[in-house]
Amino acid sequence: MVSTRELARLDQKLAELNPTDDDIVIDWANRLARDGLLTADDIDEDIALFGRMVAANPERNEEAAVSLSHAITTHAYAPEADYFSAGEELNVQGGTGAAITAYAYFGGGIYYQHAVVDVPHLAKRLGNARAAKALDVLVHGLATAQPRGRRNAFASDTVASWIALDAGTGPTSNLALAFLNPVTLRDEETGIKGDLFAASVARLLAFRKTLADAYGGVSKSCVFNAYTPLRQGNAPPAGEVWTLADFQAAVRHAAGFDGVV
């Protein structure tokens, strides 16, 4: 992966070269072939966040600042089958054309996903200002990223409705084990009936508290709540926000980037 900054540096050098001076051009091309285009300094935010592997030149590898789990449903999941058929509308010159009938499988549910950010590592690679912006973009992406497979058939325009932030020096905790016993519409553990989402949040909060009490290390926390049945009153209580912008600000605060521009 070549960063936009590395490409910009290449474009700048090409613009500065005098094409009539063969010796300078050849010398620069030889140095570029020897040293390569990649550097340890001119990396983009996405490379700092998610890393880069260069098998031919391990010195240019970048350790990712973000670890991201696969999303799992909090409840039992059963795929649905979508039968479809397609046929060629214009059979040219009496040809048989092409046709297909098949099934595409899909499903939906309440999903849980876990993400970890090594803020000191991110700040070391980007500096505080760029690291703060990278966190803003990451939070926005985690909340709004949507699957694009069969986009026109399913229109999967679903964004995150509830996010919990924990920051500190203790061990990171994937809370997926909260759903080892799948949530149900008559959930015995939480006593909530008829709302898989609310029961899932209650399970998550209970398991989160258990781990926090057992291991400690959580110094700052915040919840983003965009699920109406879980909102109480006309304003969010302490430790809760109702807009993504406020949650991004909370993430910046937890990372120590208050006032960073």
Side-chain angles (χ1 to χ4, degrees):
M1 180 187 295
V2 182
S3 74
T4 56
R5 289 170 175 262
E6 288 163 338
L7 291 174
R9 176 167 44 79
L10 177 63
D11 289 340
Q12 181 181 359
K13 185 61 180 179
L14 288 172
E16 293 173 352
L17 286 175
N18 183 352
T20 62
D21 193 329
D22 293 342
D23 291 337
I24 292 179
V25 173
I26 292 174
D27 178 65
W28 173 76
N30 288 335
R31 282 189 286 109
L32 183 63
R34 181 193 67 212
D35 300 332
L37 175 62
L38 307 182
T39 72
D41 300 320
D42 295 332
I43 61 171
D44 289 338
E45 284 77 358
D46 58 341
I47 294 177
L49 287 170
F50 300 108
R52 172 172 71 183
M53 188 183 86
V54 186
N57 189 358
E59 293 181 357
R60 297 295 177 247
N61 289 350
E62 288 292 336
E63 188 71 22
V66 173
S67 300
L68 191 63
S69 77
H70 290 284
I72 64 168
T73 56
T74 64
H75 50 82
Y77 172 88
E80 300 285 345
D82 176 35
Y83 170 81
F84 69 93
S85 62
E88 191 159 346
E89 294 181 357
L90 298 176
N91 291 334
V92 181
Q93 298 179 348
T96 58
I100 183 175
T101 59
Y103 287 91
Y105 293 92
F106 67 99
I110 310 300
Y111 284 87
Y112 167 76
Q113 187 173 34
H114 174 66
V116 181
V117 184
D118 185 341
V119 173
H121 176 71
L122 186 65
K124 180 180 179 181
R125 297 304 293 123
L126 296 178
N128 286 352
R130 291 179 64 201
K133 293 179 181 178
L135 280 179
D136 282 347
V137 173
L138 176 66
V139 170
H140 186 274
L142 289 173
T144 61
Q146 301 160 357
R148 294 298 177 188
R150 296 181 64 80
R151 173 71 180 83
N152 291 345
F154 298 118
S156 302
D157 298 328
T158 304
V159 294
S161 296
W162 196 91
I163 310 173
L165 163 70
D166 288 329
T169 57
T172 57
S173 302
N174 189 326
L175 304 180
L177 287 180
F179 311 111
L180 196 59
N181 179 27
V183 173
T184 67
L185 285 174
R186 298 177 63 87
D187 198 63
E188 295 180 359
E189 288 190 30
T190 62
I192 297 175
K193 298 179 181 180
D195 191 333
L196 286 175
F197 197 102
S200 298
V201 170
R203 283 274 201 96
L204 192 72
L205 287 173
F207 190 65
R208 176 184 182 224
K209 184 179 186 306
T210 299
L211 286 184
D213 291 343
Y215 288 94
V218 175
S219 59
K220 297 176 183 176
S221 63
C222 181
V223 164
F224 165 68
N225 182 6
Y227 186 61
T228 304
L230 293 179
R231 289 187 175 184
Q232 298 180 1
N234 298 319
E240 183 172 299
V241 296
W242 288 359
T243 69
L244 188 60
D246 285 340
F247 189 69
Q248 288 172 312
V251 172
R252 279 192 174 217
H253 174 70
F257 292 148
D258 282 334
V260 175
V261 179

